[in-house]
Amino acid sequence: MPDFLANLLVLAEANTPIVVGGLVFIVAGLLFFGLTAVAGGEGGFTRRLSQKPTDREEISANRKDKIAKVLSKVGESLPQDMTDLSRVRRQLVLAGYYSARAVPIFYAVRAVIAITLPVLFSLVFPLVTREFTVSTAVGGAAILGIVGLYLPVMFLKQKISARQQQARDGFPDALDLLVVCVEAGLSLDQAIERISREIGRSYPVLGENFRMMASELRAGQSRTEALRNVAERMGVDEVKAFVVLLIQSEELGTSIAETLRVY
């Protein structure tokens, strides 16, 4: 073995935790930048609602858009099943990724991580052990490939769970505020826009979804459709039941304020 590789092997063996930490850092970076691109997409809903960005934010947004375009093209070139496509799209919406590019970018992130992990393992494994065998290397690479393929899925499920829990925690406060606003004389549309600003400080998920609903109503979408969209985006049973109640109340012509108070 050349002196350079021998020295590198000794150095790697003496610093195995650092080498492993480096691998973890690389994978975490890939996951972060990939899912940031998913969130950024074509500007993202959050950026469209925010104030005019600063120069630094604009540069960062442009960089994310470039990453998103590359990953989107990679994802679109991969084989996709229509049933799986619909399921993934639904999960991404529940996780807060609304960009039109979200699905192909998600597929691209999975593919990149599933390829990168085995390659890194194949390069580093011979450097951190003297008991290198082809069968061990192939087995380890295969396992890491599978792990890399499902790591973004696990991340997505965790994010969905966290967002839904935040929505459940904040929904009683949002409902109280909605009752107060409606009983004070505001229309339901005005009340929703008001609580989107107030509740968003403590519960960003609720604030984001109510802002989107307010935007849909201003754009001319029917209240029934906007309410159903909120329930679909959040996927929380309490919100779904609340939406059904409001739709029925509107169809029957009963008082919104009274309905909210009873609920």
Side-chain angles (χ1 to χ4, degrees), residues 74-149:
V74 172
E76 289 171 357
S77 65
L78 298 173
Q80 299 172 0
D81 178 74
M82 294 306 297
T83 303
D84 186 59
L85 199 70
S86 177
R87 179 182 58 81
V88 171
R89 180 61 182 167
R90 162 77 174 156
Q91 289 181 327
L92 287 167
V93 169
L94 290 175
Y97 300 120
Y98 310 118
S99 169
R101 295 175 177 165
V103 174
I105 291 176
F106 181 72
Y107 280 120
V109 169
R110 291 186 68 188
V112 169
I113 295 178
I115 293 172
T116 302
L117 274 178
V119 170
L120 289 176
F121 176 78
S122 300
L123 294 175
V124 174
F125 181 65
L127 301 178
V128 297
T129 179
R130 295 182 182 275
E131 299 177 358
F132 172 78
T133 62
V134 175
S135 60
T136 304
V138 172
I143 292 172
L144 286 175
I146 296 172
V147 170
L149 193 63

Side-chain angles (χ1 to χ4, degrees), residues 15-210:
N15 298 277
T16 301
I18 297 176
V19 174
V20 174
L23 285 174
V24 173
F25 177 78
I26 292 172
V27 173
L30 287 171
L31 192 61
F32 171 77
F33 285 111
L35 293 173
T36 298
V38 175
E42 295 170 350
F45 181 80
T46 303
R47 197 194 319 159
R48 290 198 300 271
L49 291 177
S50 63
Q51 297 178 349
K52 184 177 179 181
T54 63
D55 291 341
R56 181 176 297 179
E57 291 173 340
E58 189 66 33
I59 292 172
S60 177
N62 290 336
R63 187 180 298 116
K64 290 178 182 178
D65 284 340
K66 289 179 181 178
I67 296 173
K69 288 178 182 178
V70 173
L71 290 175
S72 180
K73 290 180 180 179
V74 172
E76 289 171 357
S77 65
L78 298 173
Q80 299 172 0
D81 178 74
M82 294 306 297
T83 303
D84 186 59
L85 199 70
S86 177
R87 179 182 58 81
V88 171
R89 180 61 182 167
R90 162 77 174 156
Q91 289 181 327
L92 287 167
V93 169
L94 290 175
Y97 300 120
Y98 310 118
S99 169
R101 295 175 177 165
V103 174
I105 291 176
F106 181 72
Y107 280 120
V109 169
R110 291 186 68 188
V112 169
I113 295 178
I115 293 172
T116 302
L117 274 178
V119 170
L120 289 176
F121 176 78
S122 300
L123 294 175
V124 174
F125 181 65
L127 301 178
V128 297
T129 179
R130 295 182 182 275
E131 299 177 358
F132 172 78
T133 62
V134 175
S135 60
T136 304
V138 172
I143 292 172
L144 286 175
I146 296 172
V147 170
L149 193 63
Y150 287 98
L151 197 61
V153 177
M154 294 168 61
F155 173 85
L156 199 62
K157 289 181 178 180
Q158 189 277 331
K159 185 160 188 180
I160 291 172
S161 177
R163 284 174 63 86
Q164 290 180 336
Q165 187 58 50
Q166 185 188 126
R168 290 189 186 95
D169 293 342
F171 188 63
D173 292 343
L175 189 60
D176 287 342
L177 185 57
L178 189 61
V179 171
V180 171
C181 290
V182 172
E183 289 185 341
L186 295 179
S187 68
L188 182 60
D189 297 357
Q190 292 172 328
I192 288 171
E193 190 159 0
R194 174 67 181 272
I195 66 172
S196 71
R197 297 193 300 268
E198 299 295 334
I199 206 71
R201 299 170 185 173
S202 302
Y203 304 99
V205 172
L206 284 173
E208 176 186 83
N209 279 279
F210 281 124

